[in-house]
Each structure stands twice: as structure tokens, then as C-alpha cells.
Amino acid sequence: MTKVYFVRHCKPDFSIKDDLMRPLTKDGQKDCKKVTEFLSDKNISKIFSSPYKRAIDTIKDFAESANLKINVIDDFKERKIGNAWIEDFDKFAKEQWHNFNYKLPGGESLNDVQRRNIKALMNILEENVNHNIAISSHGTALSTIINYFNKKFDYAEFEKIKDLMPFIVCFTFDGQDILNIEKFIFD
């Protein structure tokens, strides 16, 4: 069996509009210790991350404590919304969840995000059979992965987790077949 712990990043500083370089808030930085504590007894053998600063910074403390390298995988990045900042994120997200092909000019649909995330995940599963893996990722990206394996995970479920940072989901696989999905929420 292979266990993959997807870690949704800690709280970012939304005043920074640059999605790639958006840092964690001070509270987000403190919450990285919760991620380290949670993963410390999970026998993680490899760590992967989105290239976004907030994802890397969320898993960095654990990587250092476990003496593991963070392998950056571009396909685990968050979805690109479009070429401009949108003020009404909730309206946009709802539209995307109701139409998985909906996207703004220059942006990605949830289908696009799901395809690239699942492709990257399947490559990792193929190369790391019977290992425990940690992947630092993002809320929408992680939600599309959950949805791929459980179609009941929809907009209402996304709404329940959208403000949870950090948030960890453990996927248990036999080869590339999903056996179990377990969610972990932090106080």
C-alpha cells in the first residue's frame, strides 16, 4: 500500500496578489509546526510540492526535521484563475464547480487542473510503490483530486474546506487504485 498525504498550505497573505510568490501570514508560519507534528510519525520517504512559495514554506519545516528534499512538481500548482485578479472569488468558484469546463481568459478550468494533478499523482504512485509520500498543494487543486476519486465531493464539500489551512487528506492506494480517503482538520 502507498499512502499519500496531501497537505493544503497554511494561511497565505492575500494582500500579495502575486500567486506564485504569495507568502504565509505570521499565523500561517506558526501553523507549519502543526504540519510537521502531524507528519512526524507517518514514515514519509519523499516530499513533493507545488512550486508556489506558500506550499513550499508549509512543508519546509517538516522536510528539514525529516532530512528530506522537497521535490517541486509544477503540475501540483494551484489553478490559474485568469489574467486579472477577481474580487468575487466565491461566485467564480461556484461557477467552476457547476461547470468543470468553465474558465476565464488565460485561466484554467477545474477539468484542466484535475487532469494535470492526477497525471502527476499517477506518476508519483508508479515510481513510489509502497511508500508514504507527502505532497504540499492547494485547496482547489486538492479538491479536484478528491473529486476524481469521489464524485460526491462537489461545490458544497469544497465550501466546507475552503477556509481550512492547513488541511491534510490521506489517500491510501493499492498500486493506482484508491482504497481510502481520510481528512484531517486542525484547530
Side-chain angles (χ1 to χ4, degrees), residues 11-78:
K11 188 173 182 180
D13 181 351
F14 288 111
S15 72
I16 307 297
K17 305 293 188 208
D18 181 346
D19 209 23
L20 180 65
M21 296 308 296
R22 184 175 300 134
L24 299 174
T25 63
K26 292 223 183 292
D27 285 343
Q29 292 168 17
K30 290 178 195 169
D31 285 344
C32 293
K33 296 289 186 191
K34 294 178 183 178
V35 172
T36 298
E37 185 177 314
F38 178 85
L39 293 175
S40 66
D41 64 351
K42 304 299 186 276
N43 298 314
I44 303 294
S45 60
K46 285 194 181 170
I47 300 172
F48 298 90
S49 179
S50 152
Y52 289 31
K53 179 174 176 42
R54 62 191 179 274
I56 292 170
D57 288 352
T58 294
I59 202 75
K60 190 181 210 175
D61 183 68
F62 171 70
E64 290 172 356
S65 73
N67 199 27
L68 292 170
K69 175 186 170 198
I70 299 172
N71 299 283
V72 174
I73 305 290
D74 195 54
D75 281 342
F76 285 129
K77 67 186 175 189
E78 183 59 293

Side-chain angles (χ1 to χ4, degrees), residues 14 17 81 84-93 104 162:
F14 288 111
K17 305 293 188 208
I81 291 175
W85 182 262
I86 59 168
E87 293 302 325
D88 193 346
F89 176 79
D90 291 337
K91 180 180 176 188
F92 169 74
L104 297 176
K162 76 175 189 176

Side-chain angles (χ1 to χ4, degrees), residues 67-178:
N67 199 27
L68 292 170
K69 175 186 170 198
I70 299 172
N71 299 283
V72 174
I73 305 290
D74 195 54
D75 281 342
F76 285 129
K77 67 186 175 189
E78 183 59 293
R79 62 112 162 63
K80 181 168 174 41
I81 291 175
N83 294 326
W85 182 262
I86 59 168
E87 293 302 325
D88 193 346
F89 176 79
D90 291 337
K91 180 180 176 188
F92 169 74
K94 190 173 190 177
E95 180 64 32
Q96 281 208 305
W97 278 95
H98 285 69
N99 175 0
F100 254 49
N101 291 311
Y102 176 76
K103 59 183 165 184
L104 297 176
E108 291 180 288
S109 71
L110 293 185
N111 267 331
D112 295 334
V113 176
Q114 188 178 67
R115 264 193 300 277
R116 70 174 159 73
N117 274 271
I118 293 299
K119 180 182 173 194
L121 174 59
M122 292 303 167
N123 288 338
I124 286 172
L125 290 173
E126 189 176 306
E127 295 170 5
N128 297 280
V129 175
N130 297 323
H131 286 266
N132 291 351
I133 308 296
I135 301 174
S136 191
S137 186
H138 305 273
T140 301
L142 174 53
S143 294
T144 67
I145 294 168
I146 298 169
N147 171 269
Y148 180 84
F149 295 108
N150 176 6
K151 293 300 180 198
K152 291 179 182 175
F153 191 95
D154 58 8
Y155 179 72
E157 294 299 311
F158 171 74
E159 277 283 295
K160 292 176 187 175
I161 67 133
K162 76 175 189 176
D163 294 323
L164 299 178
M165 295 175 252
F167 173 62
I168 297 179
V169 180
C170 178
F171 296 81
T172 304
F173 293 92
D174 181 4
Q176 293 183 343
D177 297 324
I178 190 77

